[in-house]
Coordinates of all heavy atoms in Angstrom, one line a residue:
M1 N 110.9 85.9 125.8 CA 111.3 84.9 124.8 C 111.6 85.5 123.5 O 110.9 86.5 123.1 CB 110.2 83.8 124.6 CG 110.5 82.7 123.7 SD 109.3 81.4 123.9 CE 109.7 80.5 122.5
G2 N 112.5 85.0 122.7 CA 113.0 85.6 121.5 C 112.0 85.4 120.4 O 111.0 84.6 120.5
S3 N 112.2 86.1 119.3 CA 111.3 86.1 118.1 C 111.5 84.7 117.4 O 112.5 84.1 117.4 CB 111.6 87.2 117.2 OG 110.9 87.1 116.0
R4 N 110.4 84.3 116.7 CA 110.5 83.1 115.9 C 111.0 83.3 114.5 O 111.3 82.4 113.8 CB 109.1 82.4 115.9 CG 108.7 81.8 117.2 CD 107.4 81.1 117.1 NE 107.1 80.5 118.3 CZ 106.2 79.6 118.5 NH1 105.5 79.1 117.5 NH2 105.9 79.1 119.7
K5 N 110.9 84.6 114.1 CA 111.4 84.9 112.7 C 112.9 84.8 112.7 O 113.6 85.2 113.6 CB 111.0 86.3 112.4 CG 109.5 86.5 112.2 CD 109.3 87.9 111.7 CE 107.8 88.2 111.5 NZ 107.5 89.5 111.0
Q6 N 113.4 84.1 111.7 CA 114.9 83.9 111.6 C 115.7 85.2 111.5 O 116.7 85.3 112.1 CB 115.1 83.0 110.3 CG 114.7 81.6 110.5 CD 115.1 80.7 109.3 OE1 115.6 81.2 108.3 NE2 114.9 79.4 109.4
S7 N 115.2 86.2 110.8 CA 115.9 87.4 110.6 C 116.0 88.2 112.0 O 117.0 88.7 112.3 CB 115.3 88.3 109.5 OG 114.0 88.6 109.9
A8 N 114.9 88.2 112.7 CA 114.9 88.9 114.0 C 115.7 88.1 115.0 O 116.5 88.7 115.8 CB 113.4 89.0 114.5
R9 N 115.6 86.8 114.9 CA 116.5 86.0 115.8 C 117.9 86.2 115.5 O 118.8 86.3 116.5 CB 116.1 84.5 115.7 CG 116.8 83.7 116.7 CD 116.2 82.3 116.7 NE 117.0 81.6 117.8 CZ 116.7 80.4 118.1 NH1 115.7 79.7 117.6 NH2 117.4 79.8 119.1
R10 N 118.3 86.2 114.3 CA 119.7 86.4 113.9 C 120.2 87.8 114.4 O 121.3 87.9 114.9 CB 119.8 86.4 112.4 CG 121.2 86.2 111.9 CD 121.3 85.9 110.4 NE 120.4 84.9 109.9 CZ 119.4 85.1 109.0 NH1 119.3 86.3 108.5 NH2 118.6 84.1 108.6
R11 N 119.3 88.8 114.3 CA 119.7 90.2 114.8 C 119.9 90.1 116.3 O 120.9 90.7 116.9 CB 118.7 91.2 114.5 CG 118.8 91.7 113.0 CD 117.9 93.0 112.8 NE 116.5 92.8 113.2 CZ 115.5 92.3 112.4 NH1 115.8 92.0 111.1 NH2 114.3 92.2 112.8
E12 N 119.1 89.4 117.0 CA 119.2 89.3 118.5 C 120.5 88.6 118.8 O 121.2 88.9 119.8 CB 118.0 88.5 119.1 CG 116.7 89.2 119.1 CD 115.5 88.4 119.5 OE1 115.7 87.2 119.7 OE2 114.5 88.9 119.7
Q13 N 120.8 87.5 118.1 CA 122.1 86.8 118.4 C 123.3 87.6 118.1 O 124.3 87.6 118.8 CB 122.1 85.5 117.5 CG 121.1 84.4 118.0 CD 121.1 83.2 117.1 OE1 121.6 83.3 115.9 NE2 120.5 82.1 117.5
E14 N 123.2 88.4 117.0 CA 124.4 89.3 116.7 C 124.6 90.3 117.7 O 125.7 90.7 118.1 CB 124.2 89.9 115.3 CG 124.4 88.9 114.1 CD 124.0 89.4 112.8 OE1 123.7 90.7 112.7 OE2 124.0 88.7 111.8
A15 N 123.4 90.9 118.2 CA 123.5 91.9 119.3 C 124.1 91.3 120.5 O 125.0 91.9 121.2 CB 122.1 92.5 119.5
F16 N 123.7 90.1 120.9 CA 124.2 89.4 122.0 C 125.7 89.2 121.9 O 126.5 89.4 122.8 CB 123.5 88.1 122.3 CG 124.0 87.3 123.4 CD1 123.8 87.7 124.7 CD2 124.8 86.2 123.2 CE1 124.3 87.0 125.8 CE2 125.3 85.4 124.3 CZ 125.0 85.8 125.6
R17 N 126.2 88.7 120.7 CA 127.6 88.4 120.5 C 128.4 89.6 120.5 O 129.6 89.6 121.0 CB 127.7 87.6 119.2 CG 127.3 86.2 119.2 CD 127.7 85.4 118.0 NE 127.1 84.1 118.0 CZ 126.2 83.7 117.1 NH1 125.8 84.5 116.1 NH2 125.7 82.5 117.2
S18 N 127.9 90.7 120.0 CA 128.6 92.0 120.0 C 128.9 92.5 121.4 O 129.8 93.2 121.7 CB 127.9 93.1 119.2 OG 126.7 93.5 119.8
Q19 N 128.0 92.2 122.3 CA 128.1 92.6 123.7 C 129.2 91.8 124.4 O 129.9 92.2 125.4 CB 126.8 92.5 124.5 CG 125.8 93.4 124.1 CD 124.5 93.1 124.8 OE1 124.3 92.1 125.5 NE2 123.5 94.0 124.7
L20 N 129.4 90.5 124.0 CA 130.4 89.7 124.6 C 131.8 90.1 124.3 O 132.7 90.0 125.2 CB 130.3 88.2 124.1 CG 129.1 87.4 124.5 CD1 129.1 86.1 123.9 CD2 129.0 87.3 126.0
G21 N 132.1 90.7 123.1 CA 133.4 91.0 122.8 C 134.2 89.8 122.4 O 133.7 88.7 122.2
D22 N 135.5 90.0 122.3 CA 136.4 88.9 121.8 C 136.8 88.0 123.0 O 137.3 88.5 124.0 CB 137.6 89.5 121.2 CG 138.6 88.5 120.6 OD1 138.1 87.3 120.4 OD2 139.7 88.8 120.4
M23 N 136.5 86.8 122.9 CA 136.9 85.9 124.0 C 138.4 85.8 124.2 O 138.8 85.5 125.3 CB 136.3 84.5 123.8 CG 134.8 84.4 123.8 SD 134.1 85.0 125.4 CE 134.2 83.5 126.4
G24 N 139.1 86.0 123.2 CA 140.6 86.0 123.3 C 141.0 87.1 124.2 O 141.9 87.0 125.1
D25 N 140.3 88.3 124.1 CA 140.6 89.4 125.1 C 140.3 89.0 126.5 O 141.0 89.4 127.4 CB 139.8 90.6 124.7 CG 140.3 91.3 123.4 OD1 141.4 91.0 123.0 OD2 139.5 92.1 122.9
L26 N 139.2 88.3 126.7 CA 138.8 87.9 128.0 C 139.9 87.0 128.7 O 140.3 87.3 129.8 CB 137.5 87.1 128.0 CG 137.0 86.6 129.3 CD1 136.6 87.8 130.1 CD2 135.8 85.7 129.1
F27 N 140.5 86.1 127.9 CA 141.5 85.2 128.4 C 142.8 86.0 128.7 O 143.6 85.8 129.6 CB 141.8 84.0 127.5 CG 140.6 83.1 127.5 CD1 139.9 82.8 126.4 CD2 140.3 82.4 128.7 CE1 138.8 82.0 126.4 CE2 139.2 81.5 128.7 CZ 138.5 81.3 127.5
A28 N 143.1 87.0 127.8 CA 144.3 87.8 127.9 C 144.2 88.7 129.2 O 145.1 88.9 129.9 CB 144.5 88.7 126.7
Q29 N 143.0 89.2 129.4 CA 142.7 90.1 130.6 C 142.9 89.2 131.8 O 143.5 89.7 132.8 CB 141.3 90.7 130.5 CG 141.1 91.7 129.5 CD 139.7 92.2 129.3 OE1 138.8 91.7 130.0 NE2 139.5 93.2 128.5
E30 N 142.4 88.0 131.8 CA 142.5 87.2 133.0 C 143.9 86.8 133.3 O 144.4 86.8 134.4 CB 141.6 85.9 132.9 CG 141.7 85.0 134.0 CD 141.2 85.5 135.3 OE1 140.5 86.6 135.3 OE2 141.6 85.0 136.4
S31 N 144.7 86.5 132.2 CA 146.1 86.2 132.4 C 146.9 87.4 133.0 O 147.7 87.3 133.8 CB 146.7 85.8 131.1 OG 146.2 84.6 130.6
A32 N 146.5 88.6 132.5 CA 147.2 89.8 133.0 C 146.8 90.1 134.4 O 147.7 90.5 135.2 CB 146.8 91.0 132.1
R33 N 145.6 89.9 134.8 CA 145.1 90.0 136.2 C 145.8 89.1 137.1 O 146.3 89.4 138.2 CB 143.6 89.8 136.3 CG 143.0 90.2 137.7 CD 141.6 89.6 137.8 NE 141.6 88.2 137.8 CZ 141.9 87.4 138.8 NH1 142.4 87.9 139.9 NH2 141.8 86.1 138.7
K34 N 146.0 87.8 136.6 CA 146.6 86.8 137.5 C 148.1 87.1 137.6 O 148.7 87.0 138.7 CB 146.5 85.4 136.8 CG 147.0 84.3 137.7 CD 146.8 82.9 137.0 CE 147.3 81.8 137.8 NZ 148.5 82.0 138.5
A35 N 148.8 87.6 136.6 CA 150.2 88.0 136.7 C 150.4 89.1 137.6 O 151.3 89.1 138.4 CB 150.7 88.3 135.3
A36 N 149.5 90.1 137.6 CA 149.5 91.3 138.5 C 149.3 90.8 139.9 O 150.0 91.3 140.8 CB 148.5 92.3 138.1
N37 N 148.4 89.9 140.2 CA 148.2 89.4 141.5 C 149.4 88.6 142.0 O 149.8 88.7 143.2 CB 146.9 88.4 141.5 CG 145.7 89.1 141.9 OD1 145.7 90.3 142.2 ND2 144.6 88.4 141.8
D38 N 150.0 87.8 141.1 CA 151.2 87.0 141.5 C 152.3 88.0 141.9 O 153.0 87.7 142.9 CB 151.6 86.1 140.4 CG 150.6 84.9 140.2 OD1 149.8 84.7 141.1 OD2 150.7 84.3 139.1
E39 N 152.5 89.0 141.1 CA 153.5 90.0 141.4 C 153.3 90.7 142.7 O 154.2 90.9 143.5 CB 153.6 91.0 140.3 CG 154.7 92.1 140.5 CD 156.1 91.6 140.5 OE1 156.4 90.5 140.0 OE2 156.9 92.2 141.2
H40 N 152.1 91.1 143.0 CA 151.7 91.8 144.2 C 152.0 90.8 145.4 O 152.5 91.2 146.4 CB 150.2 92.2 144.2 CG 149.8 92.9 145.4 ND1 150.2 94.1 145.8 CD2 149.0 92.4 146.4 CE1 149.7 94.4 147.0 NE2 148.9 93.4 147.4
R41 N 151.6 89.6 145.3 CA 151.8 88.6 146.3 C 153.3 88.4 146.6 O 153.7 88.3 147.8 CB 151.1 87.2 146.0 CG 151.2 86.2 147.0 CD 150.5 84.9 146.7 NE 149.1 85.1 146.3 CZ 148.6 85.0 145.1 NH1 149.4 84.6 144.1 NH2 147.3 85.2 144.8
E42 N 154.1 88.3 145.6 CA 155.5 88.1 145.7 C 156.1 89.3 146.4 O 157.0 89.2 147.3 CB 156.2 87.9 144.3 CG 157.6 87.7 144.4 CD 158.0 86.4 145.1 OE1 157.2 85.4 145.2 OE2 159.1 86.3 145.6
Q43 N 155.7 90.5 146.1 CA 156.2 91.7 146.7 C 155.8 91.8 148.2 O 156.7 92.1 149.1 CB 155.7 93.0 146.1 CG 156.3 93.3 144.7 CD 155.6 94.5 144.0 OE1 154.7 95.1 144.5 NE2 156.2 94.8 142.9
A44 N 154.6 91.3 148.5 CA 154.2 91.3 149.9 C 155.0 90.3 150.7 O 155.4 90.5 151.9 CB 152.7 91.0 150.0
L45 N 155.3 89.1 150.1 CA 156.1 88.1 150.8 C 157.5 88.6 151.0 O 158.1 88.4 152.1 CB 156.1 86.8 149.9 CG 154.9 85.9 150.0 CD1 155.0 84.8 149.0 CD2 154.7 85.4 151.4
R46 N 158.1 89.2 150.0 CA 159.4 89.8 150.1 C 159.5 90.8 151.2 O 160.4 90.8 152.1 CB 159.9 90.4 148.8 CG 161.3 90.9 148.9 CD 161.7 91.5 147.6 NE 163.1 92.0 147.7 CZ 164.2 91.4 147.3 NH1 164.1 90.2 146.7 NH2 165.4 91.9 147.4
A47 N 158.5 91.7 151.3 CA 158.5 92.7 152.3 C 158.4 92.1 153.7 O 159.1 92.5 154.7 CB 157.3 93.7 152.1
K48 N 157.6 91.1 153.9 CA 157.4 90.4 155.2 C 158.6 89.6 155.5 O 159.0 89.6 156.7 CB 156.1 89.6 155.2 CG 155.8 89.0 156.5 CD 154.5 88.2 156.5 CE 154.3 87.6 157.9 NZ 153.0 86.8 157.9
A49 N 159.1 88.8 154.6 CA 160.2 87.9 154.9 C 161.6 88.4 154.9 O 162.5 87.9 155.5 CB 160.1 86.7 153.9
C50 N 161.8 89.6 154.2 CA 163.2 90.1 154.1 C 163.3 91.6 154.4 O 164.1 91.9 155.3 CB 163.6 89.9 152.7 SG 165.3 90.5 152.3
E51 N 162.5 92.4 153.8 CA 162.8 93.8 153.9 C 162.4 94.4 155.2 O 163.0 95.5 155.6 CB 162.0 94.6 152.8 CG 162.5 94.2 151.4 CD 161.6 94.7 150.2 OE1 160.6 95.3 150.5 OE2 162.0 94.4 149.1
S52 N 161.6 93.8 156.0 CA 161.2 94.3 157.3 C 162.1 93.7 158.4 O 161.9 94.0 159.6 CB 159.8 93.9 157.6 OG 159.6 92.5 157.8
K53 N 163.1 93.0 158.0 CA 164.0 92.3 159.0 C 165.4 92.8 158.9 O 165.8 93.3 157.8 CB 164.0 90.8 158.8 CG 162.6 90.2 159.1 CD 162.6 88.8 159.0 CE 161.2 88.2 159.3 NZ 161.2 86.8 159.2
R54 N 166.2 92.6 159.9 CA 167.6 93.0 159.9 C 168.4 91.9 159.2 O 168.2 90.7 159.4 CB 168.1 93.1 161.3 CG 169.5 93.6 161.3 CD 170.0 94.0 162.7 NE 171.4 94.5 162.6 CZ 172.1 94.8 163.6 NH1 171.5 94.8 164.8 NH2 173.3 95.2 163.5
R55 N 169.3 92.4 158.3 CA 170.1 91.4 157.5 C 171.5 91.3 158.1 O 172.1 92.3 158.4 CB 170.1 92.0 156.1 CG 171.0 91.1 155.1 CD 170.9 91.7 153.7 NE 171.8 90.9 152.9 CZ 173.0 91.3 152.6 NH1 173.6 92.4 153.1 NH2 173.8 90.5 151.8
Y56 N 171.9 90.1 158.2 CA 173.3 89.8 158.6 C 174.1 89.3 157.4 O 173.6 88.4 156.7 CB 173.3 88.8 159.8 CG 172.6 89.3 161.0 CD1 171.3 89.1 161.2 CD2 173.3 90.1 161.9 CE1 170.6 89.6 162.3 CE2 172.6 90.6 163.1 CZ 171.3 90.4 163.2 OH 170.6 90.9 164.3
A57 N 175.2 89.9 157.2 CA 176.0 89.5 156.0 C 176.5 88.1 156.1 O 176.6 87.4 155.0 CB 177.2 90.5 155.8
T58 N 176.9 87.6 157.3 CA 177.4 86.3 157.4 C 176.7 85.5 158.4 O 176.0 86.0 159.3 CB 178.9 86.3 157.8 OG1 179.1 86.9 159.1 CG2 179.8 87.1 156.8
R59 N 176.8 84.2 158.3 CA 176.2 83.3 159.3 C 176.8 83.5 160.7 O 176.2 83.5 161.7 CB 176.4 81.8 158.9 CG 175.8 80.8 159.8 CD 176.1 79.4 159.3 NE 175.6 78.4 160.1 CZ 174.4 77.8 159.9 NH1 173.7 78.0 158.8 NH2 174.0 76.9 160.8
A60 N 178.1 83.8 160.7 CA 178.8 84.1 162.0 C 178.3 85.3 162.7 O 178.1 85.3 163.9 CB 180.3 84.2 161.8
D61 N 178.0 86.4 161.9 CA 177.4 87.6 162.5 C 176.0 87.3 163.1 O 175.7 87.7 164.2 CB 177.2 88.7 161.4 CG 178.5 89.2 160.9 OD1 179.5 89.1 161.6 OD2 178.5 89.9 159.9
A62 N 175.2 86.5 162.4 CA 173.9 86.1 163.0 C 174.0 85.3 164.2 O 173.3 85.5 165.2 CB 173.1 85.4 161.9
K63 N 175.0 84.3 164.2 CA 175.2 83.5 165.4 C 175.7 84.3 166.6 O 175.3 84.1 167.8 CB 176.2 82.4 165.1 CG 175.6 81.2 164.4 CD 176.5 80.0 164.3 CE 175.8 78.8 163.9 NZ 176.5 77.6 164.2
A64 N 176.5 85.3 166.4 CA 177.0 86.2 167.4 C 175.8 87.0 168.0 O 175.8 87.1 169.3 CB 178.1 87.1 166.9
T65 N 174.9 87.4 167.2 CA 173.8 88.2 167.7 C 172.9 87.2 168.5 O 172.3 87.7 169.6 CB 173.0 88.8 166.5 OG1 173.8 89.6 165.8 CG2 171.8 89.5 167.0
I66 N 172.7 86.0 168.1 CA 171.9 85.0 168.8 C 172.5 84.8 170.2 O 171.8 84.8 171.2 CB 171.8 83.7 168.1 CG1 170.8 83.9 166.9 CG2 171.2 82.6 169.0 CD1 170.8 82.7 166.0
A67 N 173.8 84.7 170.3 CA 174.5 84.5 171.6 C 174.3 85.7 172.5 O 174.1 85.5 173.7 CB 176.0 84.2 171.3
T68 N 174.4 86.9 171.9 CA 174.2 88.1 172.7 C 172.8 88.2 173.3 O 172.6 88.5 174.4 CB 174.5 89.3 171.9 OG1 175.9 89.3 171.4 CG2 174.3 90.6 172.6
C69 N 171.8 87.9 172.4 CA 170.4 87.9 172.8 C 170.2 86.8 173.9 O 169.4 87.1 174.9 CB 169.5 87.7 171.7 SG 169.5 89.0 170.5
E70 N 170.8 85.7 173.8 CA 170.6 84.6 174.8 C 171.2 85.0 176.2 O 170.6 84.8 177.2 CB 171.2 83.3 174.4 CG 170.4 82.6 173.3 CD 171.1 81.4 172.7 OE1 172.3 81.1 173.1 OE2 170.4 80.6 172.0
R71 N 172.3 85.8 176.1 CA 172.9 86.2 177.4 C 172.0 87.3 178.1 O 172.0 87.4 179.3 CB 174.2 86.9 177.1 CG 175.4 85.9 176.9 CD 176.7 86.5 177.0 NE 176.9 87.6 176.1 CZ 177.4 87.5 174.8 NH1 177.8 86.3 174.4 NH2 177.6 88.5 174.1
H72 N 171.2 87.9 177.3 CA 170.2 88.9 177.9 C 168.8 88.3 178.1 O 167.9 89.1 178.4 CB 170.1 90.1 176.9 CG 171.4 91.0 176.9 ND1 172.3 90.8 175.9 CD2 171.8 91.9 177.7 CE1 173.3 91.7 176.2 NE2 173.0 92.3 177.3
G73 N 168.7 87.0 178.0 CA 167.5 86.4 178.4 C 166.4 86.3 177.3 O 165.2 86.0 177.6
S74 N 166.8 86.4 176.1 CA 165.8 86.3 175.0 C 165.4 84.9 174.8 O 166.2 84.0 175.0 CB 166.5 86.9 173.7 OG 165.6 86.7 172.6
P75 N 164.2 84.7 174.3 CA 163.8 83.3 174.0 C 164.6 82.8 172.8 O 165.3 83.6 172.2 CB 162.3 83.4 173.6 CG 161.9 84.8 174.0 CD 163.1 85.6 174.2
A76 N 164.5 81.5 172.6 CA 165.4 80.9 171.6 C 165.2 81.6 170.2 O 164.1 81.9 169.8 CB 165.0 79.4 171.4
L77 N 166.3 81.8 169.6 CA 166.4 82.4 168.2 C 167.0 81.4 167.3 O 167.9 80.6 167.7 CB 167.1 83.7 168.2 CG 166.4 84.9 168.9 CD1 167.4 86.1 169.0 CD2 165.2 85.3 168.1
Y78 N 166.6 81.4 166.1 CA 167.2 80.6 165.0 C 167.6 81.5 163.8 O 167.1 82.6 163.7 CB 166.2 79.5 164.6 CG 165.7 78.7 165.7 CD1 164.5 79.0 166.4 CD2 166.4 77.6 166.2 CE1 164.0 78.3 167.4 CE2 165.9 76.9 167.2 CZ 164.8 77.2 167.9 OH 164.3 76.5 168.9
L79 N 168.4 81.0 163.0 CA 168.8 81.8 161.8 C 168.5 81.0 160.6 O 168.4 79.8 160.6 CB 170.3 82.2 161.9 CG 171.3 81.0 161.9 CD1 172.0 80.9 160.5 CD2 172.3 81.2 163.0
Y80 N 168.3 81.8 159.5 CA 168.1 81.1 158.2 C 168.6 82.0 157.1 O 168.7 83.2 157.2 CB 166.6 80.9 158.0 CG 165.7 82.1 157.9 CD1 165.4 82.7 156.7 CD2 165.2 82.8 159.1 CE1 164.6 83.8 156.6 CE2 164.5 83.9 159.0 CZ 164.2 84.4 157.7 OH 163.4 85.6 157.7
K81 N 169.0 81.4 156.0 CA 169.5 82.1 154.8 C 168.3 82.6 154.0 O 167.4 81.8 153.7 CB 170.4 81.2 154.0 CG 171.0 82.0 152.8 CD 172.2 81.2 152.4 CE 172.9 82.0 151.2 NZ 174.0 82.8 151.7
C82 N 168.3 83.9 153.7 CA 167.1 84.5 153.0 C 167.2 84.2 151.5 O 168.2 84.4 150.9 CB 167.2 86.0 153.2 SG 165.9 86.9 152.4
P83 N 166.1 83.7 151.0 CA 166.1 83.4 149.5 C 166.0 84.6 148.7 O 166.2 84.6 147.5 CB 164.8 82.5 149.4 CG 163.9 82.9 150.5 CD 164.8 83.3 151.6
Y84 N 165.6 85.8 149.3 CA 165.5 87.0 148.5 C 166.8 87.8 148.4 O 167.2 88.2 147.4 CB 164.4 87.9 149.1 CG 163.1 87.3 149.1 CD1 162.5 86.7 150.2 CD2 162.4 87.2 147.9 CE1 161.2 86.2 150.1 CE2 161.1 86.7 147.8 CZ 160.5 86.1 148.9 OH 159.3 85.6 148.9
C85 N 167.5 88.0 149.6 CA 168.7 88.9 149.6 C 170.0 88.1 149.7 O 171.1 88.7 149.5 CB 168.6 89.9 150.7 SG 168.7 89.2 152.4
G86 N 169.9 86.8 150.1 CA 171.1 86.0 150.2 C 171.8 86.2 151.6 O 172.8 85.6 151.8
G87 N 171.2 87.1 152.4 CA 171.8 87.4 153.7 C 171.2 86.4 154.7 O 170.5 85.4 154.4
W88 N 171.4 86.7 156.0 CA 170.9 85.9 157.1 C 170.0 86.7 157.9 O 170.2 87.9 158.2 CB 172.1 85.4 157.9 CG 173.0 84.4 157.1 CD1 174.0 84.8 156.3 CD2 172.9 83.0 157.1 NE1 174.6 83.7 155.8 CE2 173.9 82.6 156.2 CE3 172.0 82.1 157.6 CZ2 174.1 81.2 155.9 CZ3 172.2 80.7 157.3 CH2 173.2 80.3 156.5
H89 N 168.9 86.1 158.4 CA 167.9 86.7 159.2 C 167.7 85.8 160.5 O 167.9 84.6 160.4 CB 166.6 86.9 158.5 CG 166.6 87.8 157.3 ND1 166.9 89.1 157.4 CD2 166.4 87.5 156.0 CE1 166.9 89.6 156.2 NE2 166.6 88.7 155.3
L90 N 167.1 86.4 161.5 CA 166.8 85.7 162.7 C 165.3 85.5 162.8 O 164.5 86.3 162.4 CB 167.3 86.4 164.0 CG 168.8 86.8 164.0 CD1 169.1 87.5 165.3 CD2 169.6 85.6 163.8
T91 N 164.9 84.4 163.5 CA 163.5 84.1 163.7 C 163.3 83.3 165.0 O 164.3 82.7 165.5 CB 162.9 83.3 162.5 OG1 161.5 83.1 162.8 CG2 163.6 81.9 162.4
H92 N 162.1 83.4 165.6 CA 161.8 82.6 166.7 C 161.2 81.2 166.4 O 161.1 80.4 167.2 CB 160.8 83.3 167.6 CG 161.3 84.5 168.3 ND1 162.2 84.4 169.4 CD2 161.2 85.8 168.1 CE1 162.5 85.6 169.8 NE2 162.0 86.5 169.1
K93 N 160.9 81.1 165.1 CA 160.3 79.8 164.6 C 161.4 78.8 164.4 O 162.4 79.0 163.8 CB 159.6 80.0 163.3 CG 158.4 80.8 163.4 CD 157.6 81.0 162.1 CE 156.4 81.8 162.2 NZ 155.7 82.0 161.0
R94 N 161.2 77.6 165.0 CA 162.1 76.5 164.9 C 162.1 76.0 163.4 O 161.1 75.8 162.8 CB 161.7 75.4 165.8 CG 162.7 74.2 165.7 CD 162.3 73.2 166.8 NE 162.7 73.8 168.0 CZ 163.0 73.2 169.1 NH1 162.9 71.9 169.1 NH2 163.4 73.8 170.2
P95 N 163.3 75.8 162.8 CA 163.3 75.4 161.4 C 162.8 74.0 161.3 O 163.0 73.1 162.1 CB 164.8 75.5 161.0 CG 165.5 75.4 162.3 CD 164.6 76.0 163.4
S96 N 162.1 73.7 160.2 CA 161.6 72.4 159.9 C 162.7 71.6 159.2 O 163.4 72.2 158.4 CB 160.3 72.4 159.1 OG 160.5 73.1 157.9
R97 N 162.8 70.4 159.5 CA 163.8 69.6 158.9 C 163.3 68.4 158.1 O 162.4 67.8 158.1 CB 164.8 69.1 159.9 CG 165.5 70.3 160.5 CD 166.7 70.0 161.3 NE 167.2 71.2 161.8 CZ 168.4 71.4 162.2 NH1 169.3 70.4 162.0 NH2 168.8 72.5 162.7

């Protein structure tokens, strides 16, 4: 338990406050950490959704590849326009409508 003397108590409080640092820094650090996390997540999504897949320049190219794969017995393929590169990619997932 802390001291009852006002001067000793004031010193204890000042020592405690000096250990806390500036609360503005705390919020700035948290904002920077969140921004870094968001950037890392976005890079991971881009790598998984775009960079690791083959890109087709046109919708017709992607459809032609789907037709070729179907002739060789591939399961159903679908195409989608990539929000990252603007090209076309193939997937086995049925598009939601």
